[in-house]
Amino acid sequence: MSHERIRTELKTWLEQYQQYQPNDFEMVYDHWVQQSLMNVDPQMKKAFFSKLDAWFFHTHAFLQGTSYQYEARERILTVGRIFSNQIEKIEDMEKELTVEQLTYIAEQQMTRGRLYSFAQGGLTGAGGWLFLGVDYPLMMLMNLRAIQLIGLTFGHEMNHPYEMMISLKVFHAATLPKRLKASAWNELLEEVEKKEHPYIFAGEDQLTDEGWMEQPMKQCFKSLFILMFRKKLIQGLPFISIAIGAYSNYHLTKQVTEFAMKFYQYRHLMNKEGAS
């Protein structure tokens, strides 16, 4: 019964992207980005996206090696053992728990991640150039970590090359503009359905592309608005800048964690059906 409810929720959630029609502004903006990038030297463009991808790969590896991540992993296992004492390792989460139990645990990770993003965004709005400068890398790092924790909750070891690439692909899809999410979702499903090896990723390993560049552009606009309102003080604090930073970062993490949750829910149901 819980499977059917989750499946219905997934279908309803996915329809908002499948039926989404971009407005005139989005179409004009998309055309402008495409035209602008056409004028960039192909080799330079390739090198730029390659370095950006490398940064995400290294960030993922860095997160996996932190004690903070290890502690979070142990917390997930501890909560999982409340529901089943058969859980000894991360892979047992998928085998022993229902999709509703996994969703409950993952929602705890989502809530914590959104709270961190909200606080970090508020600090960016209140702080100086240093906070503003590290805001975007920190946001990417925090959202990557949130996806990793959701993936761990659903029983997938994030230090395996295959799961690393899938989590990065989820991050890429989750941060795409709304009009591109449906096709990215379908590509993700194709990747997991044609999985050839449990540890080796055999698909396309490119992450960032022209379509993804809208996210950094939004970040630039956010930074601009924060700077514009920084001197508008209320009782000595730039409340408008704080609100812009906090809301923007919270909204992005909400968007990313929701997408990740739906993907891993779908994957769990798909694996269960395949095993039955």
Side-chain angles (χ1 to χ4, degrees):
M1 190 66 183
S2 63
H3 283 205
E4 289 303 316
R5 185 180 63 80
I6 297 290
R7 192 176 295 281
T8 302
E9 290 176 359
L10 279 167
K11 184 180 178 182
T12 304
W13 174 81
L14 189 56
E15 281 175 355
Q16 69 175 309
Y17 298 116
Q18 292 173 334
Q19 299 173 3
Y20 181 75
Q21 295 294 326
N23 56 42
D24 291 342
F25 174 78
E26 288 176 308
M27 293 175 70
V28 169
Y29 172 81
D30 200 33
H31 179 71
W32 174 75
V33 170
Q34 293 293 334
Q35 287 294 112
S36 300
L37 289 171
M38 280 178 64
N39 297 326
V40 178
D41 179 65
Q43 291 299 320
M44 187 181 297
K45 188 164 57 176
K46 183 179 178 181
F48 171 75
F49 287 124
S50 177
K51 288 186 182 298
L52 201 54
D53 287 353
W55 184 84
F56 283 118
F57 292 137
H58 291 312
T59 301
H60 187 286
F62 165 75
L63 285 169
Q64 286 301 304
T66 60
S67 59
Y68 193 52
Q69 193 78 346
Y70 176 78
E71 290 167 6
R73 186 177 181 278
E74 290 303 308
R75 281 199 303 270
I76 289 170
L77 287 171
T78 300
V79 177
R81 288 173 186 136
I82 295 173
F83 297 106
S84 172
N85 57 14
Q86 301 298 313
I87 293 174
E88 295 182 0
K89 56 185 186 296
I90 282 294
E91 287 88 345
D92 295 335
M93 297 285 289
E94 183 179 27
K95 298 173 186 174
E96 300 295 333
L97 302 185
T98 67
V99 67
E100 283 196 329
Q101 290 169 337
L102 293 169
T103 298
Y104 170 77
I105 300 171
E107 281 175 348
Q108 293 181 324
Q109 309 303 323
M110 291 168 65
T111 302
R112 193 176 289 114
R114 291 172 187 178
L115 181 62
Y116 291 158
S117 291
F118 184 85
Q120 189 261 325
L123 283 173
T124 298
W129 286 98
L130 176 62
F131 282 102
L132 200 60
V134 300
D135 177 54
Y136 192 65
L138 269 179
M139 272 306 299
M140 297 300 100
L141 187 145
M142 291 169 72
N143 282 294
L144 276 173
R145 181 176 183 273
I147 292 172
Q148 289 178 0
L149 295 182
I150 293 171
L152 283 170
T153 300
F154 279 84
H156 305 287
E157 274 289 7
M158 292 292 116
N159 53 8
H160 294 163
Y162 179 84
E163 294 301 338
M164 179 194 77
M165 275 306 305
I166 289 296
S167 67
L168 288 171
K169 292 273 187 180
V170 170
F171 170 81
H172 169 258
T175 49
L176 282 172
K178 194 171 183 178
R179 63 186 180 277
L180 302 177
K181 274 189 166 66
S183 60
W185 172 269
N186 292 334
E187 288 174 13
L188 270 170
L189 296 190
E190 286 177 17
E191 292 285 1
V192 295
E193 285 170 1
K194 69 178 184 182
K195 182 178 179 181
E196 298 174 0
H197 194 280
Y199 301 116
I200 299 172
F201 185 83
E204 174 61 52
D205 62 356
Q206 182 181 355
L207 291 175
T208 53
D209 51 22
E210 289 88 345
W212 185 81
M213 288 305 293
E214 189 168 317
Q215 181 55 48
M217 290 291 291
K218 287 181 180 177
Q219 175 69 18
C220 291
F221 286 123
K222 182 190 82 173
S223 300
L224 182 62
F225 284 127
I226 286 174
L227 290 172
M228 283 172 58
F229 290 102
R230 179 157 286 169
K231 293 184 179 179
K232 302 286 185 182
L233 303 180
I234 301 173
Q235 295 183 345
L237 288 173
F239 278 110
I240 298 177
S241 290
I242 291 172
I244 291 170
Y247 173 78
S248 175
N249 287 14
Y250 173 87
H251 180 74
L252 177 61
T253 300
K254 182 177 183 293
Q255 169 187 313
V256 168
T257 52
E258 184 181 65
F259 190 98
M261 171 73 91
K262 298 301 182 187
F263 170 75
Y264 283 107
Q265 281 178 333
Y266 186 95
R267 191 177 174 190
H268 177 82
L269 294 176
M270 187 180 72
N271 290 345
K272 287 294 182 183
E273 286 179 0
S276 60

